[in-house]
Amino acid sequence: MLSGMPKGENVLVDMDSKAGDLFNAEDAHPTGTGGTGVLSRLWLPKGISASVAKEWFDRRRLSIRPWSSFVDQRKFSKPRNFGELCQRVVKNVEVYNSNYTFIFLGLILYCIISSPMLLIALAVFAGAFYIIHLKSLESKLVVLGKELTVPHQMSLAGLVSLPVFWLAGAGAAVFWILGATLFVIGSHAAFRQLEGSDLDELLMEPV
C-alpha cells in the first residue's frame, strides 16, 4: 500500500473541507468583499459582494412602476413641441428608471439566449477564468515578475476566448443591444405622457 495515499475517514474529512472552501460565503474575505469560498471570490469583482448585488437588485425591483401603467396605450401621445419632448424624456427616465433597467437586462438576456455561438463564447470565457483562478489558488501565477490579480486573470481569460467572441459576432451583439435599448427606452420616454403629479413638480421648479 502506498504510504502517501489518504485513508477512509481522512478522505471524507478532506472532501468536506474542500466543499466548505467552495461554498462557504460567511467567513471574512481577505479583500473585505465577503466570503472565502472559491465561488464568492471567483465571480464577484473586488469591492462587490453577493449581499450588495442582492440589495441593488431588490431596491430596483421594489421601485418598479406597475407594468400595466407603463404600457398603457391611452397615456401615449405625440409631444406638442421640442420643449415638451425634453421634459418627458428627462422626467420619464427618472420615474421609470427601474423599469428601463430591467428592459435593458432583458434585451441582454434575449441576445445571449438567441445566439448559440455567444453562449459558447461566454462558456469558454467562464471556463478559462475558472481554470486560471483555480491554478492561482493552488500556487501564485507570476508573469514577467508580477503576480496575476483577479482583473489580470479575467483579462487573460478574455484574451483566450477572444477568437470565439469574434466568431460569435460579439461586437455586433453589443451594438444591437445598445441600439435596441436606445430605441425602446427613448420611444417610451418621448411618447409617454407625464402624470399629473409630475407636471405639478415641473411647474413648481424654479426657472
Side-chain angles (χ1 to χ4, degrees), residues 3 35 48 67-69 71 105 112 131 148 162 185 192 197 202:
S3 59
I48 299 179
W67 291 104
S68 57
S69 174
V71 297
L105 295 177
I112 293 175
I131 294 172
L148 292 183
L162 183 61
I185 294 178
R192 178 62 163 80
S197 58
L202 286 174

Side-chain angles (χ1 to χ4, degrees), residues 84-143:
E84 183 180 4
L85 172 66
C86 294
Q87 286 183 345
R88 286 187 180 185
V89 170
V90 172
K91 195 63 183 179
N92 282 329
V93 168
E94 178 185 340
V95 172
Y96 296 104
N97 184 274
S98 294
N99 298 71
Y100 293 154
T101 299
F102 279 96
I103 289 176
F104 175 64
L105 295 177
L107 288 172
I108 293 177
L109 184 61
Y110 169 78
C111 186
I112 293 175
I113 293 176
S114 61
S115 176
M117 281 299 297
L118 197 55
L119 280 173
I120 294 174
L122 290 173
V124 171
F125 171 77
F129 179 58
Y130 181 78
I131 294 172
I132 294 171
H133 192 75
L134 286 183
K135 293 294 184 182
S136 70
L137 293 179
E138 296 175 0
S139 60
K140 292 183 179 180
L141 297 179
V142 180
V143 176

Side-chain angles (χ1 to χ4, degrees), residues 161-199:
S161 55
L162 183 61
V164 187
F165 276 106
W166 180 77
L167 291 174
V174 170
F175 281 109
W176 182 89
I177 291 171
L178 292 177
T181 300
L182 289 175
F183 175 78
V184 173
I185 294 178
S187 299
H188 182 275
F191 292 98
R192 178 62 163 80
Q193 299 174 3
L194 299 179
E195 301 289 350
S197 58
D198 298 330
L199 286 172

